[in-house]
Amino acid sequence: MSDSNTADAEASNVKPTNFIRNIIDNDLESGKRTNVQTRFPPEPNGFLHIGHAKSICINFGIAKDYNGECNLRFDDTNPAKEEAAYAEAIANDVEWLGFKWAGEIKHSADYFDRLFDYAVELIEKGVAYVCELSMEEMRDYRGTLTEPGKNSPYRDRAVAENLDLFNRMKAGEFEDGSIALRAKIDMSSPNINLRDPVIYRIKKAHHIRTGDKWCIYPTYDFTHGISDAIEGITHSLCTLEFEDHRPLYDWFLENITIDCHPQQIEFSRLNLEHTITSKRKLNLLVNEGVVDGWDDPRMPTISGMRRRGYSAAAIRDFIGRTGVTKKVHTVEMSLLENSVREDLGENAGRAMAVLNPLKVTLVNYPDDKVESIQAPIHPQKESMGKREIFFSKTILIDQADFRESANKKYKRLVLGKAVRLRNAYVITCDEIVRDGQGNIVELLCTVDLNTLGKNPEGYKPKGVIHWVSESHSKPATVRLYDRLFNVANPAAEENFLDCVNPECLVEVVDARVELSLGEAKPEQVFQFEREGYFCADRYQHSADNLVFNRTVTLRDSWAKIEAKS
Ligand code: ATP
Ligand code: MG
């Protein structure tokens, strides 16, 4: 694990500059603002993904750097899609990423009474009306990007009638979708968001916080800005798709009585190649059984990445590298994987694991002898200490590490040639043992007992391979994860489910791992030498059932493939 899993550990680093921080600097300098208050406002309708991690790092990071605070607010205005379990998972993810919200968790639903009162205020001011157009009619009246809309025939109702109808909406007198409260703004505005948007709609649905108290719910646009203002947010940071909603955000705040007017600032979303960053689509992967739940290690969710073995520090590092701009772009997966590799290279302890074992008998080694060898946990970090590995007459190497004959480029074991066993001796392969079908089932080798920690005399081994002692190793399940999609932009495909990488998970059930790995704790990360970085599964790994997930390979194997194609 990294030295510290909290974002505070990075506080001493140089603070980033970007256009949002420039705006804040100016606001503080000019006296427009005296403090910085941000918020992260997820809708609890799914798990958080890598895109949300960006929003979290920006909002909490800015609050921290300006000695301000960041709220966690559930934007829970759509009762049909929201679940308490999602809310809980989201809060856990934010904490795990290393951030702490100010005070209690907030909910838009906490403001439903006040939002209702503000709607009444708009009606009383003559800038909101109850409209009885059906959904289709409303769409027809709205106009298009090139044509202005038409006024609703209900637009000029008297205030008293609007008040009466709005109260009856609240009382449950009308059916879902039959009637709505709308802001009276401008049906010919070039910005369609300003063409009398709906503020309240009828939805006879149970809400995770307010139960059955309400059958009318405020829309996102109405709720969001007012909730920001209620909480004293100074800078409301969101993604670019809300840019055209900003005039509406401002209109609501200018037309109600409230003494706070946050500034909405938009930045571009994080899109990542070879994966999906949309809760709706991720939900499909879960529901269709393509993955094993929201926290499957193949998912780009925060909990999936955590289970895969990515540390919070690596994710924060990656987000920092993607920058904060208004430019729409898609980031290569290798950028994320490089942050993960860098972090693991520094922090993961080394161990040996043989995924496809091939038996090797050391013919000149005493039958019952077992040698204990102290191997470094991290070759560059002595402070991480040592681990005990065991050497014996029968060892296991990986099938891929032996060839009967090979050219000079093959730096592993070859018949008649010598190779070094990592952390141990040099061996030479004398003979191959085959089964009835001609498969190689065992190698007979000689060990040079004069080579522990020193070079052999008079010859040179071809390379270094990893191994475990047959008697002093444990069985393990190893899950080899790879990219979830075999195309760079699955969201652009007609059906993104068709381009799921069939090899995104290969399970190896008969791997053998060195004895010390029997003490691995769930979520502990390792470099399996020469194989890659692995993490003990958060849920399924135990001392009696070792389960390791491949976090990332040692090198980027996709770089080659993509260069070729
Ligand atoms: P999705 O499309 O996955 O459902 P969303 O935007 O609807 O995402 P919310 O729960 O509303 O999800 O998002 C909470 C916050 O996270 C919002 O402020 C949103 O702008 C931000 N966010 C969501 N996706 C991304 C992304 N890919 N990059 C950066 N910020 C994002
Ligand atoms: Mg949303």
Side-chain angles (χ1 to χ4, degrees), residues 274-276 285 483-487 490 496-497 499-501 558:
H274 293 284
T275 193
I276 292 272
L285 290 172
R483 295 179 182 179
L484 187 48
F485 294 97
N486 49 25
V487 297
F496 73 99
L497 294 174
C499 47
V500 169
N501 175 7
W558 284 70

Side-chain angles (χ1 to χ4, degrees), residues 14 40 131 225 235 329-330 337 345 449:
V14 182
F40 171 63
C131 181
H235 300 86
H329 65 151
T330 303
E337 289 179 342
L449 290 167

